[in-house]
Amino acid sequence: MVSVFLEDGSSKTVEDGASGLDLAKAISTSLAKKAIALEINGVVKDLGTPIQDGDKVKIIKVGDNRSYDVLRHTTSHVLAAVVQKMFPSAKVGVGPATERGFFYDFKILDHKITDEDLLKIEKEMKRFAEGAHTIERALVEDVDAKLAEYKANGEIFKAELLEEHRNNVPTEYYFVDNNGKKLWSDLCAGPHLPSTKFIKHLKLTNVSGAYWRGDTANDQLQRVYGTVWWDEEEFQNYLKQQEESEARDHRKLAKQHDYFSTHEMAGAGLIFWHRKLATIRQELQRFWEKEHLKAGYEFVVTPHIAKSELWDISGHNSFYKDSMYSLKVDDEEYVLKPMNCPFHVLIFKNSKHSYRELPIRMAEMGTVYRNESSGAVHGLARVRGFTQDDAHIFCTKEQFKFEIQGVFKLINKIYSVLGLEFKVEVSTKPEKAIGSDDLWSFAEAGLIESLNELGIEFEINPADGAFYGPKIDFKLKDALGRIWQGATIQLDFNLPERFDLHYIGSDSNTERPVMIHRAIFGSMERITMVLIEHFAGAFPLWLAPDQVMIIPVTDKHNDYALSIRDYLIDNDIRAKADLSSERMNYKIRTAQEDQIPYMLIVGDKEMETASVNVRYRRSQDQVSMTQDEFLAKLKLEISSKLLN
């Protein structure tokens, strides 16, 4: 007999060699019916895994947080099995679970998967799952024989993976029917569901291009995406959210509202900001500047290029060169800056500093350039040229925790005004990094202590820090609950060392400053993309590119409409008058579709009483007030930065 410890701290004794399923049955019949996987000492494994004496065990049930990855990863294998049955020439790549679904990569030389194909594949997947095939795990005992089999069958990607993992106890998984016949297998580490019967609420969503292992030098593959859920309600909720996401897609809204454009003649990933989005950007920047002035920042402006030597010193040429643009100037190599950091370092280094001057908080709206692959470029979300709301703080080791906390408070304030919730992650030392382990440990501990002192909940994101230091990442949550990368705070002990920065300490000796990198919007492109989709184009009044539309009832009211427009413009309100020949109701509908917050309907009565009839974009109600009353209402709403 063996004794194991359960999630609630109690223990349970079962026979030696018992599996997770045996344990679930020993606890309760109902638990066994819902059990789909096993967590042993913190690691998720197949339900059929034997348990050992002293193990800490959790039975993972349908609907548990960790059950979704198992469900989705298993469903990706069903997708692969069906695709290879329907398209015999298909060769498989990898098929991981994603946050809300799964995908699988295929190389199919004689066929391009269409939307019509997706419907057929999905139908066959459901039929396959209904077969309630058991899923069995087997060790690859003879790696060389299996490699030969893969190569003979043209499964070059599986052969590559097996060769890499030949010393990691590689395993295969089989779908087995009720007669014990093996239907299909795949090289995989697992874990998987015990049976396909659990797979019910699934949908294939789209197909796109991908490269093997994300490298453009490798084979181009077809990536099929799908989603799968445990119950019908969450499945339907997801589909509804996807419909709303498509309606809010910033690229779609950009065409509808004329926000921005890109041009093949200019190059992929380079954004042309049209009037409306440029206005939103200007308002965001004014807000950003005002809050930074109050927080003690000073503004700087730096060049767009610098000699390659600068990036040698900073370390970017060693760790980031593939993402940098270079050019020749006077027979010397220059680089379009991918980051603003070294430029702010040079400003600091240009003068002598005393500990009494620190901290120095330096901020810039700095445009940078990064060589993203054309396949990765995506609207405003992934571009090649973008403007970071960058800032760097130079402080003492005694000050850096306080400064990090100050940055956090500033981020919290700005996001609160924008109506964006967030969660926090601390990203630790990556595989490729500069600096000693002691410095990294000190820096990581400082970030964690800063958040703990503020009482902030956070998660650890292992090995995802910048190459020069650990960071705090802010994951933004929009109106649909989607997560976007937002602000970041990065601690850096390395650039001050590389550029030999120093200040005079209280004991008259030279000291090395600590450098804090931080951006709140991340970039102007990224934050406007998030806000377009968050507000679905219906921006709050202070951000709306057009705040008021004056609509005359007939042509004889045009002059009055123009006088109101001029009055509002003179008082810093973005107002327009629609003097077109269209009917009044058409003009109202157009203004609503353009998401203009307020419409002023003016006719005989308004002219006689020097008033306006106010209509909000989301309401059919109309309220009469004087021009001064309306202006006061706008001024209050704008100054308060009220959300919709």
Side-chain angles (χ1 to χ4, degrees), residues 251-366:
R251 294 166 301 173
K252 180 178 180 179
L253 291 174
K255 292 180 180 178
Q256 183 179 336
H257 297 293
D258 192 28
Y259 285 147
F260 71 91
S261 62
T262 58
H263 301 272
E264 186 63 32
M265 186 180 296
L270 301 174
I271 303 300
F272 289 72
W273 297 69
H274 298 194
R275 176 189 67 85
K276 290 182 180 179
L277 198 62
T279 300
I280 293 168
R281 174 176 173 151
Q282 289 169 340
E283 287 298 323
L284 286 170
Q285 185 166 336
R286 290 189 190 103
F287 169 51
W288 180 88
E289 289 173 349
K290 183 177 180 181
E291 293 302 324
H292 280 71
L293 283 172
K294 290 192 288 187
Y297 286 79
E298 54 193 37
F299 300 121
V300 298
V301 179
T302 60
H304 287 238
I305 66 173
K307 290 181 179 179
S308 185
E309 177 188 357
L310 177 69
W311 310 102
D312 287 331
I313 298 171
S314 70
H316 286 85
N317 277 340
S318 298
F319 292 88
Y320 212 74
K321 194 171 183 64
D322 289 344
S323 297
M324 295 160 60
Y325 291 103
S326 61
L327 62 157
K328 287 285 186 180
V329 180
D330 296 333
D331 294 326
E332 289 192 81
E333 185 179 15
Y334 279 69
V335 170
L336 284 171
K337 64 176 177 180
M339 298 178 184
N340 300 296
C341 333
F343 292 74
H344 293 184
V345 166
L346 293 181
I347 292 176
F348 182 90
K349 188 177 176 65
N350 192 60
S351 305
K352 293 182 179 180
H353 301 282
S354 161
Y355 74 96
R356 297 181 186 276
E357 298 174 59
L358 303 186
I360 292 174
R361 306 182 185 105
M362 204 178 295
E364 176 182 16
M365 281 286 180

Side-chain angles (χ1 to χ4, degrees), residues 54 63 106 121 141 163 170 225 241 259 294 402 405 424 503 614:
F106 304 95
I121 296 168
E141 295 181 351
E163 184 63 56
Y225 288 91
Q241 186 192 65
Y259 285 147
K294 290 192 288 187
F402 178 80
Q405 291 170 349
V424 179
Y503 65 91
V614 183

Side-chain angles (χ1 to χ4, degrees), residues 91-194:
K91 308 305 176 187
V92 293
V94 293
T98 62
E99 185 178 358
R100 298 192 173 190
F102 58 90
F103 67 79
Y104 215 111
D105 291 340
F106 304 95
K107 183 175 183 179
I108 312 176
L109 294 177
D110 57 357
H111 186 80
K112 184 175 181 180
I113 295 175
T114 65
D115 290 342
E116 185 178 348
D117 290 330
L118 291 184
L119 295 175
K120 294 177 182 178
I121 296 168
E122 180 185 308
K123 182 178 179 180
E124 185 62 20
M125 286 177 66
K126 292 176 180 177
R127 190 200 65 78
F128 187 92
E130 288 170 358
H133 306 305
T134 57
I135 301 169
E136 298 180 2
R137 176 179 179 269
L139 292 176
V140 179
E141 295 181 351
D142 189 336
V143 172
D144 290 326
K146 182 59 68 174
L147 279 171
E149 177 188 325
Y150 283 154
K151 291 175 181 178
N153 293 330
E155 295 288 2
I156 57 174
F157 308 117
K158 290 301 177 184
E160 182 179 322
L161 292 172
L162 178 57
E163 184 63 56
E164 285 183 12
H165 296 283
R166 63 160 54 237
N167 298 321
N168 298 330
V169 193
T171 56
E172 275 194 308
Y173 281 81
Y174 293 84
F175 290 126
V176 182
D177 68 14
N178 294 329
N179 297 318
K181 180 182 178 182
K182 292 180 178 178
L183 304 175
W184 185 85
S185 68
D186 199 359
L187 179 73
C188 188
H192 296 96
L193 298 172

